[in-house]
Amino acid sequence: MTDARVPSRRRYLVCDPGHFDVRYAINPWMRPDRPVDLALAQRQWRTLVDVYRAHGHTVDSVKPVPGLPDMVFAANAAVVVGGRVLGSLFLAPERRPESVPYETWFKAEGFDVHRPESVCEGEGDLVPAGRWILAGTGFRTTRGAHAEAQEFFGVPVIGLTLVDPYFYHLDTALFALDEENIAYYPEAFSPGSREVLARLYPDAVTATREDAMAFGLNSVSDGRHVFVSPGATALTARLAERGYVPVPVDLSEFHKAGGGIKCCTQEIRS
């Protein structure tokens, strides 16, 4: 079955963690009294970039800005569909300045950037998944942003309600495996949202809470290779059974801020 999975070349945007730290607490993972090993974080991040490139993907980088410790989480800065960029408006005041350097980068690359009017945290809560965009709400991004995204991209947006604060962004509880399927942790969602996902994706790969808490769902897939936290052992086995090729990448130092592989990765879809 593995040979039937075909990867597609991707273009990713990342940001060097040179200023990464945990200076405030805006999710249950963050503890400012718990020191960050910056040297380890940089090694882990470089490994992720090297692994992407080794698998044939293009990786661009935004220059980090002093005083913005969460800027490394590039996925939150925007969502790009069909070469159109919907920027960010963060809920936390501490993160709002991150929008500017990312917007500047996209404009320098020739993209038009639409600034949302509602709280919108990029691919953290807006996950392009084939025919539609899966959109999380409950902790960060608002339903108003879901409507903006649908109007801007002209793609149906499926609203999903998150209910567990440990999974405060959609990309901590769900990721797209390919154009047709997803992996997710059902209990991160409201009962109605679980029913929606079960209807849309009857063949989805479901994860345990242990896998989700290990940031196993904060993963990136190119349709064949799944770049995944090595701590999500049961999920890794399920993915392999389905014919995907798990590629473990340890970003454990970033877990201290509530982030992982996907949080550090913005996908630019032309």
Side-chain angles (χ1 to χ4, degrees):
M1 182 183 293
T2 299
D3 291 340
R5 303 290 184 192
V6 179
S8 60
R9 295 283 180 92
R10 308 295 175 101
R11 183 184 181 189
Y12 298 133
L13 180 63
V14 299
C15 180
D16 187 286
H19 304 296
F20 174 60
D21 200 357
V22 179
R23 300 182 188 174
Y24 42 79
I26 57 173
N27 66 57
W29 303 94
M30 301 180 85
R31 289 175 47 190
D33 61 341
R34 186 182 180 192
V36 166
D37 186 334
L38 184 56
L40 175 58
Q42 288 181 309
R43 289 197 298 274
Q44 291 179 341
W45 181 85
R46 290 190 189 105
T47 296
L48 177 65
V49 171
D50 289 344
V51 168
Y52 283 153
R53 288 176 172 153
H55 284 80
H57 304 304
T58 299
V59 182
D60 294 307
S61 184
V62 171
K63 185 177 180 180
V65 176
L68 299 179
D70 281 341
M71 193 175 162
V72 64
F73 299 127
N76 304 155
V79 59
V80 186
V81 177
R84 307 187 75 187
V85 182
L86 178 64
S88 60
L89 176 59
F90 288 93
L91 176 65
E94 296 92 338
R95 296 200 65 185
R96 288 193 172 182
E98 295 175 31
S99 301
V100 175
Y102 279 101
E103 181 175 330
T104 299
W105 186 90
F106 277 112
K107 287 182 175 180
E109 290 291 310
F111 293 93
D112 290 325
V113 181
H114 175 74
R115 291 184 178 180
E117 297 179 2
S118 305
V119 171
C120 182
E121 301 204 353
E123 283 191 319
D125 278 321
L126 298 174
V127 177
R131 292 166 287 174
W132 39 64
I133 296 172
L134 303 178
T137 192
F139 297 102
R140 300 289 183 85
T141 299
T142 65
R143 290 197 179 275
H146 296 182
E148 284 190 67
Q150 180 165 288
E151 189 66 22
F152 179 65
F153 292 120
V155 175
V157 172
I158 309 296
L160 302 167
T161 301
L162 297 161
V163 297
D164 188 325
Y166 279 96
F167 310 107
Y168 59 94
H169 271 155
L170 184 60
D171 72 357
T172 63
L174 175 154
F175 71 97
L177 285 164
D178 48 42
E179 295 293 297
E180 302 295 334
N181 209 5
I182 64 168
Y184 72 107
Y185 170 50
E187 284 70 27
F189 298 90
S190 68
S193 294
R194 290 200 298 269
E195 289 188 24
V196 168
L197 288 170
R199 287 174 182 271
L200 294 180
Y201 300 102
D203 197 39
V205 177
T206 56
T208 64
R209 184 173 182 81
E210 290 74 21
D211 286 333
M213 292 292 284
F215 287 82
L217 294 164
N218 197 240
S219 296
V220 171
S221 174
D222 65 13
R224 173 180 168 89
H225 308 100
V226 179
F227 307 96
V228 61
S229 168
T233 53
L235 176 62
T236 297
R238 289 183 183 181
L239 292 170
E241 289 171 0
R242 296 291 193 92
Y244 297 96
V245 180
V247 181
V249 183
D250 182 12
L251 257 62
S252 56
E253 202 60 20
F254 297 94
H255 298 178
K256 294 176 179 178
I261 293 170
K262 177 55 192 173
C263 287
C264 290
T265 310
Q266 166 74 231
E267 184 174 342
I268 302 175
R269 300 169 183 83
S270 299

Tab-separated table of all heavy atoms in Angstrom, residues 15-57:
chain	number	residue	atom	x	y	z
A	15	CYS	N	10.518	30.319	10.407
A	15	CYS	CA	11.196	31.448	11.044
A	15	CYS	C	12.187	30.915	12.071
A	15	CYS	O	11.812	30.133	12.958
A	15	CYS	CB	10.179	32.378	11.718
A	15	CYS	SG	10.915	33.812	12.544
A	16	ASP	N	13.422	31.320	11.959
A	16	ASP	CA	14.479	30.879	12.872
A	16	ASP	C	14.098	31.182	14.324
A	16	ASP	O	13.608	32.276	14.632
A	16	ASP	CB	15.786	31.594	12.509
A	16	ASP	CG	16.967	31.073	13.308
A	16	ASP	OD1	17.057	31.402	14.502
A	16	ASP	OD2	17.786	30.345	12.737
A	17	PRO	N	14.320	30.231	15.244
A	17	PRO	CA	13.941	30.431	16.647
A	17	PRO	C	14.995	31.175	17.462
A	17	PRO	O	15.124	30.944	18.676
A	17	PRO	CB	13.776	28.999	17.147
A	17	PRO	CG	14.795	28.228	16.376
A	17	PRO	CD	14.805	28.857	14.995
A	18	GLY	N	15.708	32.085	16.831
A	18	GLY	CA	16.771	32.793	17.540
A	18	GLY	C	16.308	33.561	18.756
A	18	GLY	O	17.079	33.792	19.692
A	19	HIS	N	15.030	33.962	18.780
A	19	HIS	CA	14.483	34.708	19.918
A	19	HIS	C	13.411	33.915	20.658
A	19	HIS	O	12.656	34.493	21.454
A	19	HIS	CB	13.912	36.044	19.435
A	19	HIS	CG	14.895	36.889	18.694
A	19	HIS	ND1	16.041	37.403	19.279
A	19	HIS	CD2	14.939	37.292	17.391
A	19	HIS	CE1	16.723	38.098	18.383
A	19	HIS	NE2	16.081	38.042	17.231
A	20	PHE	N	13.360	32.612	20.404
A	20	PHE	CA	12.332	31.781	21.032
A	20	PHE	C	12.506	31.742	22.544
A	20	PHE	O	13.614	31.629	23.072
A	20	PHE	CB	12.405	30.363	20.468
A	20	PHE	CG	11.489	29.386	21.153
A	20	PHE	CD1	10.117	29.589	21.159
A	20	PHE	CD2	12.003	28.266	21.794
A	20	PHE	CE1	9.270	28.690	21.788
A	20	PHE	CE2	11.161	27.365	22.424
A	20	PHE	CZ	9.794	27.577	22.421
A	21	ASP	N	11.378	31.840	23.245
A	21	ASP	CA	11.377	31.793	24.708
A	21	ASP	C	9.927	31.639	25.167
A	21	ASP	O	9.004	31.756	24.363
A	21	ASP	CB	11.977	33.081	25.281
A	21	ASP	CG	12.459	32.920	26.715
A	21	ASP	OD1	12.280	31.827	27.288
A	21	ASP	OD2	13.005	33.892	27.269
A	22	VAL	N	9.743	31.375	26.433
A	22	VAL	CA	8.410	31.371	27.039
A	22	VAL	C	8.392	32.477	28.077
A	22	VAL	O	8.880	32.313	29.194
A	22	VAL	CB	8.059	30.009	27.664
A	22	VAL	CG1	6.671	30.070	28.305
A	22	VAL	CG2	8.099	28.902	26.613
A	23	ARG	N	7.839	33.616	27.704
A	23	ARG	CA	7.854	34.805	28.563
A	23	ARG	C	6.492	35.125	29.154
A	23	ARG	O	6.376	36.004	30.003
A	23	ARG	CB	8.354	36.010	27.769
A	23	ARG	CG	9.756	35.835	27.210
A	23	ARG	CD	10.203	37.084	26.476
A	23	ARG	NE	11.453	36.876	25.776
A	23	ARG	CZ	12.002	37.774	24.954
A	23	ARG	NH1	11.382	38.934	24.729
A	23	ARG	NH2	13.147	37.521	24.337
A	24	TYR	N	5.469	34.476	28.651
A	24	TYR	CA	4.113	34.718	29.130
A	24	TYR	C	3.348	33.405	28.976
A	24	TYR	O	3.849	32.438	28.391
A	24	TYR	CB	3.436	35.841	28.330
A	24	TYR	CG	3.678	35.781	26.840
A	24	TYR	CD1	2.962	34.900	26.023
A	24	TYR	CD2	4.634	36.593	26.230
A	24	TYR	CE1	3.182	34.832	24.664
A	24	TYR	CE2	4.865	36.529	24.859
A	24	TYR	CZ	4.135	35.646	24.085
A	24	TYR	OH	4.359	35.581	22.733
A	25	ALA	N	2.133	33.343	29.473
A	25	ALA	CA	1.330	32.125	29.404
A	25	ALA	C	-0.011	32.432	28.759
A	25	ALA	O	-0.851	33.094	29.363
A	25	ALA	CB	1.125	31.539	30.791
A	26	ILE	N	-0.201	31.940	27.541
A	26	ILE	CA	-1.469	32.150	26.840
A	26	ILE	C	-2.100	30.822	26.431
A	26	ILE	O	-3.081	30.804	25.703
A	26	ILE	CB	-1.293	33.075	25.613
A	26	ILE	CG1	-0.256	32.514	24.634
A	26	ILE	CG2	-0.912	34.487	26.049
A	26	ILE	CD1	-0.162	33.295	23.327
A	27	ASN	N	-1.520	29.712	26.887
A	27	ASN	CA	-2.141	28.397	26.734
A	27	ASN	C	-1.624	27.515	27.875
A	27	ASN	O	-0.664	27.880	28.559
A	27	ASN	CB	-1.847	27.792	25.347
A	27	ASN	CG	-0.381	27.470	25.129
A	27	ASN	OD1	0.222	26.717	25.888
A	27	ASN	ND2	0.199	28.014	24.067
A	28	PRO	N	-2.251	26.363	28.127
A	28	PRO	CA	-1.875	25.547	29.287
A	28	PRO	C	-0.466	24.979	29.255
A	28	PRO	O	0.042	24.537	30.290
A	28	PRO	CB	-2.916	24.410	29.257
A	28	PRO	CG	-4.068	24.947	28.501
A	28	PRO	CD	-3.472	25.846	27.467
A	29	TRP	N	0.163	24.965	28.096
A	29	TRP	CA	1.512	24.421	27.986
A	29	TRP	C	2.582	25.397	28.480
A	29	TRP	O	3.677	24.982	28.855
A	29	TRP	CB	1.820	24.068	26.530
A	29	TRP	CG	0.876	23.107	25.915
A	29	TRP	CD1	-0.242	23.408	25.171
A	29	TRP	CD2	0.927	21.685	25.975
A	29	TRP	NE1	-0.878	22.260	24.772
A	29	TRP	CE2	-0.181	21.184	25.244
A	29	TRP	CE3	1.816	20.783	26.568
A	29	TRP	CZ2	-0.430	19.822	25.096
A	29	TRP	CZ3	1.570	19.430	26.418
A	29	TRP	CH2	0.463	18.953	25.701
A	30	MET	N	2.285	26.675	28.457
A	30	MET	CA	3.300	27.701	28.683
A	30	MET	C	3.511	27.975	30.176
A	30	MET	O	2.570	28.310	30.882
A	30	MET	CB	2.909	28.989	27.951
A	30	MET	CG	2.737	28.831	26.456
A	30	MET	SD	2.280	30.376	25.601
A	30	MET	CE	3.913	31.088	25.360
A	31	ARG	N	4.768	27.842	30.594
A	31	ARG	CA	5.148	28.150	31.974
A	31	ARG	C	6.419	29.002	31.941
A	31	ARG	O	7.519	28.469	31.690
A	31	ARG	CB	5.391	26.866	32.773
A	31	ARG	CG	4.137	26.073	33.080
A	31	ARG	CD	4.453	24.757	33.767
A	31	ARG	NE	5.420	24.928	34.864
A	31	ARG	CZ	6.007	23.909	35.486
A	31	ARG	NH1	5.747	22.666	35.105
A	31	ARG	NH2	6.850	24.140	36.465
A	32	PRO	N	6.299	30.283	32.158
A	32	PRO	CA	7.468	31.159	32.089
A	32	PRO	C	8.583	30.788	33.062
A	32	PRO	O	9.745	31.168	32.847
A	32	PRO	CB	6.887	32.541	32.424
A	32	PRO	CG	5.456	32.445	32.010
A	32	PRO	CD	5.053	31.045	32.348
A	33	ASP	N	8.262	30.034	34.123
A	33	ASP	CA	9.288	29.632	35.095
A	33	ASP	C	10.062	28.397	34.641
A	33	ASP	O	10.988	27.950	35.325
A	33	ASP	CB	8.654	29.373	36.463
A	33	ASP	CG	7.625	28.250	36.441
A	33	ASP	OD1	7.132	27.914	35.345
A	33	ASP	OD2	7.312	27.721	37.529
A	34	ARG	N	9.684	27.861	33.491
A	34	ARG	CA	10.365	26.675	32.956
A	34	ARG	C	11.311	27.110	31.855
A	34	ARG	O	10.883	27.529	30.787
A	34	ARG	CB	9.324	25.692	32.404
A	34	ARG	CG	9.882	24.361	31.959
A	34	ARG	CD	8.749	23.513	31.397
A	34	ARG	NE	9.218	22.210	30.957
A	34	ARG	CZ	8.503	21.365	30.222
A	34	ARG	NH1	7.279	21.716	29.854
A	34	ARG	NH2	8.998	20.196	29.864
A	35	PRO	N	12.621	27.040	32.080
A	35	PRO	CA	13.564	27.598	31.107
A	35	PRO	C	13.571	26.854	29.773
A	35	PRO	O	13.354	25.645	29.703
A	35	PRO	CB	14.920	27.457	31.811
A	35	PRO	CG	14.732	26.366	32.811
A	35	PRO	CD	13.305	26.464	33.248
A	36	VAL	N	13.819	27.611	28.722
A	36	VAL	CA	13.946	27.070	27.374
A	36	VAL	C	15.424	26.865	27.062
A	36	VAL	O	16.250	27.736	27.336
A	36	VAL	CB	13.325	28.033	26.342
A	36	VAL	CG1	13.740	27.664	24.920
A	36	VAL	CG2	11.805	28.032	26.474
A	37	ASP	N	15.758	25.724	26.520
A	37	ASP	CA	17.115	25.456	26.050
A	37	ASP	C	17.188	25.937	24.602
A	37	ASP	O	16.821	25.207	23.670
A	37	ASP	CB	17.410	23.960	26.158
A	37	ASP	CG	18.857	23.612	25.818
A	37	ASP	OD1	19.490	24.372	25.058
A	37	ASP	OD2	19.335	22.567	26.279
A	38	LEU	N	17.628	27.166	24.411
A	38	LEU	CA	17.601	27.771	23.084
A	38	LEU	C	18.510	27.040	22.106
A	38	LEU	O	18.156	26.863	20.932
A	38	LEU	CB	17.996	29.247	23.165
A	38	LEU	CG	17.921	30.032	21.852
A	38	LEU	CD1	16.526	29.957	21.237
A	38	LEU	CD2	18.320	31.485	22.076
A	39	ALA	N	19.675	26.585	22.575
A	39	ALA	CA	20.584	25.859	21.682
A	39	ALA	C	19.933	24.577	21.174
A	39	ALA	O	20.043	24.221	19.996
A	39	ALA	CB	21.893	25.555	22.401
A	40	LEU	N	19.234	23.877	22.061
A	40	LEU	CA	18.539	22.655	21.656
A	40	LEU	C	17.403	22.989	20.696
A	40	LEU	O	17.208	22.301	19.690
A	40	LEU	CB	17.984	21.937	22.889
A	40	LEU	CG	17.115	20.698	22.618
A	40	LEU	CD1	17.888	19.657	21.820
A	40	LEU	CD2	16.602	20.112	23.938
A	41	ALA	N	16.654	24.043	20.988
A	41	ALA	CA	15.565	24.449	20.101
A	41	ALA	C	16.088	24.738	18.700
A	41	ALA	O	15.471	24.339	17.697
A	41	ALA	CB	14.853	25.672	20.667
A	42	GLN	N	17.205	25.414	18.604
A	42	GLN	CA	17.759	25.743	17.294
A	42	GLN	C	18.209	24.490	16.552
A	42	GLN	O	18.007	24.372	15.339
A	42	GLN	CB	18.908	26.730	17.450
A	42	GLN	CG	18.428	28.128	17.844
A	42	GLN	CD	19.556	29.120	17.976
A	42	GLN	OE1	20.544	28.868	18.660
A	42	GLN	NE2	19.409	30.261	17.331
A	43	ARG	N	18.801	23.532	17.275
A	43	ARG	CA	19.205	22.281	16.633
A	43	ARG	C	17.999	21.508	16.133
A	43	ARG	O	18.014	20.969	15.013
A	43	ARG	CB	20.010	21.411	17.613
A	43	ARG	CG	21.397	21.941	17.933
A	43	ARG	CD	22.260	20.866	18.556
A	43	ARG	NE	21.724	20.373	19.823
A	43	ARG	CZ	21.962	20.930	21.013
A	43	ARG	NH1	22.718	22.014	21.100
A	43	ARG	NH2	21.457	20.384	22.108
A	44	GLN	N	16.941	21.441	16.936
A	44	GLN	CA	15.743	20.722	16.525
A	44	GLN	C	15.102	21.383	15.307
A	44	GLN	O	14.680	20.701	14.369
A	44	GLN	CB	14.751	20.663	17.687
A	44	GLN	CG	15.204	19.773	18.834
A	44	GLN	CD	14.207	19.762	19.989
A	44	GLN	OE1	13.366	20.645	20.116
A	44	GLN	NE2	14.310	18.752	20.846
A	45	TRP	N	15.042	22.701	15.323
A	45	TRP	CA	14.447	23.437	14.214
A	45	TRP	C	15.248	23.232	12.931
A	45	TRP	O	14.669	23.008	11.856
A	45	TRP	CB	14.373	24.914	14.578
A	45	TRP	CG	13.768	25.792	13.536
A	45	TRP	CD1	12.445	26.060	13.335
A	45	TRP	CD2	14.483	26.544	12.533
A	45	TRP	NE1	12.286	26.925	12.280
A	45	TRP	CE2	13.518	27.244	11.778
A	45	TRP	CE3	15.828	26.700	12.231
A	45	TRP	CZ2	13.869	28.078	10.720
A	45	TRP	CZ3	16.189	27.532	11.172
A	45	TRP	CH2	15.211	28.213	10.430
A	46	ARG	N	16.566	23.285	13.025
A	46	ARG	CA	17.407	23.080	11.834
A	46	ARG	C	17.227	21.667	11.282
A	46	ARG	O	17.252	21.460	10.063
A	46	ARG	CB	18.874	23.342	12.166
A	46	ARG	CG	19.182	24.819	12.427
A	46	ARG	CD	20.675	25.073	12.516
A	46	ARG	NE	20.950	26.419	12.970
A	46	ARG	CZ	21.376	26.746	14.181
A	46	ARG	NH1	21.588	25.782	15.083
A	46	ARG	NH2	21.606	27.998	14.518
A	47	THR	N	17.057	20.703	12.178
A	47	THR	CA	16.813	19.332	11.732
A	47	THR	C	15.522	19.260	10.934
A	47	THR	O	15.459	18.609	9.877
A	47	THR	CB	16.748	18.378	12.933
A	47	THR	OG1	18.016	18.351	13.584
A	47	THR	CG2	16.388	16.959	12.489
A	48	LEU	N	14.473	19.925	11.414
A	48	LEU	CA	13.205	19.939	10.691
A	48	LEU	C	13.381	20.519	9.288
A	48	LEU	O	12.921	19.937	8.302
A	48	LEU	CB	12.170	20.756	11.460
A	48	LEU	CG	10.805	20.918	10.781
A	48	LEU	CD1	10.100	19.574	10.643
A	48	LEU	CD2	9.928	21.919	11.538
A	49	VAL	N	14.065	21.641	9.189
A	49	VAL	CA	14.295	22.269	7.886
A	49	VAL	C	15.092	21.336	6.979
A	49	VAL	O	14.764	21.166	5.791
A	49	VAL	CB	15.025	23.617	8.066
A	49	VAL	CG1	15.463	24.176	6.711
A	49	VAL	CG2	14.122	24.621	8.792
A	50	ASP	N	16.130	20.709	7.525
A	50	ASP	CA	16.951	19.790	6.732
A	50	ASP	C	16.132	18.595	6.243
A	50	ASP	O	16.302	18.143	5.095
A	50	ASP	CB	18.137	19.295	7.564
A	50	ASP	CG	19.187	20.367	7.812
A	50	ASP	OD1	19.161	21.405	7.109
A	50	ASP	OD2	20.023	20.175	8.711
A	51	VAL	N	15.251	18.100	7.105
A	51	VAL	CA	14.420	16.953	6.727
A	51	VAL	C	13.457	17.339	5.604
A	51	VAL	O	13.265	16.579	4.645
A	51	VAL	CB	13.654	16.420	7.958
A	51	VAL	CG1	12.561	15.437	7.539
A	51	VAL	CG2	14.613	15.741	8.926
A	52	TYR	N	12.850	18.509	5.702
A	52	TYR	CA	11.970	18.967	4.616
A	52	TYR	C	12.734	19.006	3.294
A	52	TYR	O	12.254	18.516	2.262
A	52	TYR	CB	11.427	20.360	4.919
A	52	TYR	CG	10.300	20.424	5.920
A	52	TYR	CD1	10.097	21.570	6.694
A	52	TYR	CD2	9.407	19.366	6.086
A	52	TYR	CE1	9.059	21.658	7.607
A	52	TYR	CE2	8.365	19.439	6.988
A	52	TYR	CZ	8.195	20.591	7.750
A	52	TYR	OH	7.160	20.676	8.634
A	53	ARG	N	13.889	19.614	3.314
A	53	ARG	CA	14.667	19.742	2.075
A	53	ARG	C	15.131	18.379	1.565
A	53	ARG	O	15.151	18.137	0.345
A	53	ARG	CB	15.850	20.678	2.315
A	53	ARG	CG	15.411	22.140	2.448
A	53	ARG	CD	16.546	23.067	2.786
A	53	ARG	NE	16.109	24.474	2.723
A	53	ARG	CZ	16.649	25.457	3.411
A	53	ARG	NH1	17.688	25.209	4.235
A	53	ARG	NH2	16.186	26.688	3.290
A	54	ALA	N	15.467	17.471	2.456
A	54	ALA	CA	15.895	16.134	2.053
A	54	ALA	C	14.766	15.368	1.370
A	54	ALA	O	15.025	14.457	0.576
A	54	ALA	CB	16.392	15.346	3.269
A	55	HIS	N	13.528	15.758	1.647
A	55	HIS	CA	12.374	15.107	1.022
A	55	HIS	C	11.865	15.897	-0.193
A	55	HIS	O	10.761	15.654	-0.681
A	55	HIS	CB	11.255	14.917	2.042
A	55	HIS	CG	11.518	13.781	2.994
A	55	HIS	ND1	12.349	13.908	4.090
A	55	HIS	CD2	11.086	12.496	2.990
A	55	HIS	CE1	12.408	12.758	4.729
A	55	HIS	NE2	11.654	11.882	4.089
A	56	GLY	N	12.670	16.846	-0.668
A	56	GLY	CA	12.364	17.529	-1.915
A	56	GLY	C	11.533	18.784	-1.807
A	56	GLY	O	11.091	19.332	-2.819
A	57	HIS	N	11.318	19.288	-0.578
A	57	HIS	CA	10.475	20.462	-0.404
A	57	HIS	C	11.310	21.745	-0.350
A	57	HIS	O	12.466	21.730	0.070
A	57	HIS	CB	9.646	20.314	0.871
A	57	HIS	CG	8.824	19.057	0.886
A	57	HIS	ND1	7.922	18.758	-0.109
A	57	HIS	CD2	8.805	18.002	1.750
A	57	HIS	CE1	7.369	17.594	0.150
A	57	HIS	NE2	7.883	17.109	1.266
